[in-house]
Amino acid sequence: MSYLKRERLPEYIESEEELDDLMSLPSKPLIDFQKNLEGDLIILGVGGKIGVQLALAAKKASIAAGVPRRIIGVSRFSNPEKRTQLEEKGIETISCDLSDPAAVKQLPDAKNVVFMVGKKFGTCGSEEETWAMNTLVPDYVARRYADSAIVVYSTGNVYGLVPVNCGGSIEADTLHPQGEYAISALGRERIFQYYSKKNETPISILRLNYAIDLRYGVLREIGEKVKNQEVIDLSMGNVNVIWQGDVINQTLLSFAHCTSPANIINITGPETVSIRYVAELFSRLFNRPLRLEGEEGGTALLNNASYAASLFGYPHVSLLTMVKWIAHWLEIGGASLDKPTHFASRNGIF
């Protein structure tokens, strides 16, 4: 597959190599966009769950577009295998502590910046570190790259819980963040919004709800519980999910929509997904009985991605395809990142 296309999706995914290749396939619109995008790309926080595949997608799209472009990945690289994986694909890497303002000043120029840095899990008990990562680091980066276009990862947690039947929060809704993580994530947004206005820096802020990889994510967690006949808590009865490859394509296309003041875009799938329904799908696929506990609450953390759909089209990978892929992945003993999403948390504590 030279680019991502619905009818070319595999029936199953058999290896991490195949998985990473699929998630990093650029869409045709992304390849076309790369023909007109000027300048190099630097990805800050490339060592996280999405960063490696995003860097690979940017490289593939630039090559397919026939545009020579430096793709630079910046991270502490606590996992050296990720650095090796990137360098083997022709992506430059820089080891950097982004919480050090002097180190940030030394980073190379780039017209295009993806900001993926943040702290969520482990917030409880180290709130000050979460605030430092989620507000001070954005300050250093926004100052350093005042003359660049910046795509910033944020979270749907800034909205807070909303009625399940409302269709999800839209970008213009009043924000009600709950807990230190969500409040500090809003702080991250405010820092970038301030510098977008002050320096006329074009910025897109992406409020993401639940990217799905076969190695982690909400759907995998439900599938594992069904397969192992563990209890599934229904109190957070609904979620939004989106295939990580679609997240990556929409992220890179968001450079076309960077503005000053900053543009905000919800990134997620089109459905309000019932946890009960997904559990029932896995139950049929695994031929396992369900163990459900509690009742669905009337509220949930939900985003409405209609604006994103108007910009990028609908995601390429459907909910049913993701469920089928994950069920097969679990059956063959596919790898896990062992990083729970804590999607069922209703109190904002992570």
Side-chain angles (χ1 to χ4, degrees), residues 12-268:
Y12 298 113
I13 300 170
E14 306 290 349
S15 68
E16 285 194 90
E17 182 179 4
E18 184 182 352
L19 174 59
D20 287 338
D21 183 58
L22 178 64
M23 283 198 300
S24 61
L25 274 179
S27 62
K28 189 175 186 299
L30 178 56
I31 293 171
D32 292 340
F33 173 64
Q34 292 292 308
K35 296 175 183 177
N36 299 313
L37 182 67
E38 297 181 358
D40 298 328
L41 170 68
I42 191 166
I43 303 166
L44 307 179
V46 76
K49 295 189 293 291
I50 300 177
V52 170
Q53 291 80 23
L54 187 143
L56 296 175
K59 187 70 174 180
K60 291 176 182 178
S62 296
I63 291 172
V67 177
R69 191 191 319 281
R70 292 175 70 195
I71 311 293
I72 306 162
V74 178
S75 174
R76 290 177 177 172
F77 289 110
S78 56
N79 182 350
E81 292 181 5
K82 290 190 174 184
R83 187 170 195 175
T84 300
Q85 183 181 3
L86 290 169
E87 291 177 345
E88 287 177 347
K89 300 295 184 180
I91 295 159
E92 299 177 43
T93 63
I94 297 172
S95 180
C96 178
D97 178 359
L98 292 166
S99 67
D100 179 354
V104 172
K105 288 181 180 179
Q106 297 302 311
L107 291 173
D109 292 340
K111 285 191 175 183
N112 307 287
V113 180
V114 176
F115 183 88
M116 311 182 76
V117 183
K119 180 176 172 61
K120 178 178 182 179
F121 303 118
T123 290
C124 186
S126 61
E127 289 81 0
E128 66 286 346
E129 182 182 351
T130 298
W131 276 91
M133 292 301 297
N134 291 347
T135 61
L136 291 181
V137 175
D139 178 86
Y140 307 152
V141 169
R143 290 171 183 264
R144 171 64 185 86
Y145 290 105
D147 298 323
S148 303
I150 308 176
V151 173
V152 177
Y153 269 56
S154 186
T155 170
N157 285 74
V158 298
Y159 292 115
L161 301 175
V162 296
V164 171
N165 61 2
C166 78
S169 299
I170 63 172
E171 290 83 353
D173 282 351
T174 300
L175 305 178
H176 299 285
Q178 183 179 14
E180 295 272 348
Y181 164 65
I183 297 170
S184 66
L186 178 57
R188 173 174 54 211
E189 290 191 12
R190 295 300 190 225
I191 296 296
F192 278 110
Q193 288 173 315
Y194 169 75
Y195 282 109
S196 181
K197 286 184 177 180
K198 181 176 186 291
N199 298 325
E200 298 185 348
T201 302
I203 291 176
S204 287
I205 296 173
L206 310 184
R207 291 175 177 163
L208 172 63
N209 267 11
Y210 297 125
I212 297 298
D213 181 334
L214 305 189
R215 294 164 292 205
Y216 75 93
V218 174
L219 299 184
R220 181 188 169 106
E221 290 173 28
I222 298 171
E224 282 184 306
K225 286 182 180 294
V226 174
K227 186 173 185 292
N228 297 330
Q229 298 186 50
E230 298 174 2
V231 173
I232 297 171
D233 180 7
L234 293 177
S235 58
M236 183 73 85
N238 296 269
V239 293
N240 301 129
V241 298
I242 180 171
W243 177 244
Q244 186 162 293
D246 283 310
V247 174
I248 287 166
N249 273 273
Q250 293 188 17
T251 298
L252 293 170
L253 285 168
S254 293
F255 282 107
H257 306 286
C258 290
T259 59
S260 173
N263 189 21
I264 296 174
I265 308 172
N266 288 343
I267 301 292
T268 196

